[in-house]
Amino acid sequence: MVTNVPDAYTHYPKLITPGDDLILDDAYLKWYDIRRADAAIKKSVQGEAREILRAESSAGRLRIQGDLGFVILHLCGDSFFFLIVNTWRSANELWETVYAKDGDGSFKLWPRDDSHKPTFCVWELGAVLHEQKTWTQFLYSARDEDARNVWIGDRFTGEA
């Protein structure tokens, strides 16, 4: 066995586009949408994703107060979404909370019980790698308000 990629799999590009930032309590999150070029993420789904994060934060289930980070809303296929909240902690660690939505259902916390867990797919890593680089620049900076604003303004847009 050389790989577990099925012979019939054909890889294709997806687009990563930044969205409006999301501020929750004391957390600041950049936003990225990921989708095929010929697909669209409905504004209603974007709104639902933002609302679930606000509700989870307000209820104390999404404990990211004081954190800086980013969100990935990824349209997988025709109607399945991952909503991945990533925050920087302990200066150099990336922490995550994952939600999923299938079709007309609601966003639900993604179960993480197995010992070997999925993290990011190849397309999501485009945003993650960009954010790793810009966070590293922030860590080397004075980490003051000006540096924070530079970090906030540094976004990835493009094909992954």
Side-chain angles (χ1 to χ4, degrees):
M1 183 172 104
V2 175
T3 178
N4 64 1
V5 177
D7 290 340
Y9 177 78
T10 302
H11 194 68
Y12 51 92
K14 288 193 177 185
L15 296 178
I16 300 174
T17 55
D20 294 334
D21 298 342
L22 182 64
I23 301 170
L24 302 171
D25 299 325
D26 190 24
Y28 194 100
L29 303 171
K30 298 178 184 181
W31 192 278
Y32 290 102
D33 288 336
I34 300 178
R35 61 181 173 75
R36 289 184 326 267
D38 61 348
I41 298 176
K42 294 178 183 176
K43 296 246 184 248
S44 61
V45 173
Q46 291 170 332
E48 182 184 348
R50 290 170 180 277
E51 188 52 40
I52 189 69
L53 297 181
R54 285 185 191 100
E56 291 286 280
S57 178
S58 293
R61 291 184 295 269
L62 181 61
R63 293 183 290 271
I64 60 171
Q65 288 77 16
D67 289 351
L68 298 175
F70 58 100
V71 174
I72 295 172
L73 178 59
H74 184 178
L75 173 56
C76 309
D78 295 324
S79 63
F80 184 89
F81 292 87
F82 275 117
L83 178 62
I84 307 169
V85 181
N86 306 276
T87 62
W88 295 105
R89 290 204 173 155
S90 302
N92 57 18
E93 297 173 356
L94 186 61
W95 288 47
E96 74 173 359
T97 302
V98 179
Y99 299 86
K101 171 184 170 64
D102 195 3
D104 293 331
S106 301
F107 281 100
K108 304 284 185 206
L109 196 60
W110 185 255
R112 305 285 290 207
D113 298 332
D114 293 336
S115 61
H116 193 60
K117 300 171 180 72
T119 57
F120 300 103
C121 76
V122 68
W123 298 289
E124 293 159 354
L125 282 170
V128 173
L129 292 173
H130 175 84
E131 288 300 319
Q132 179 272 337
K133 289 176 184 167
T134 192
W135 186 253
T136 300
Q137 290 172 346
F138 176 77
L139 292 175
Y140 280 120
S141 75
R143 296 187 300 277
D144 56 10
E145 187 174 344
D146 288 340
R148 182 175 175 251
N149 289 336
V150 168
W151 171 80
I152 288 170
D154 192 346
R155 307 299 175 94
F156 180 80
T157 301
E159 196 173 275

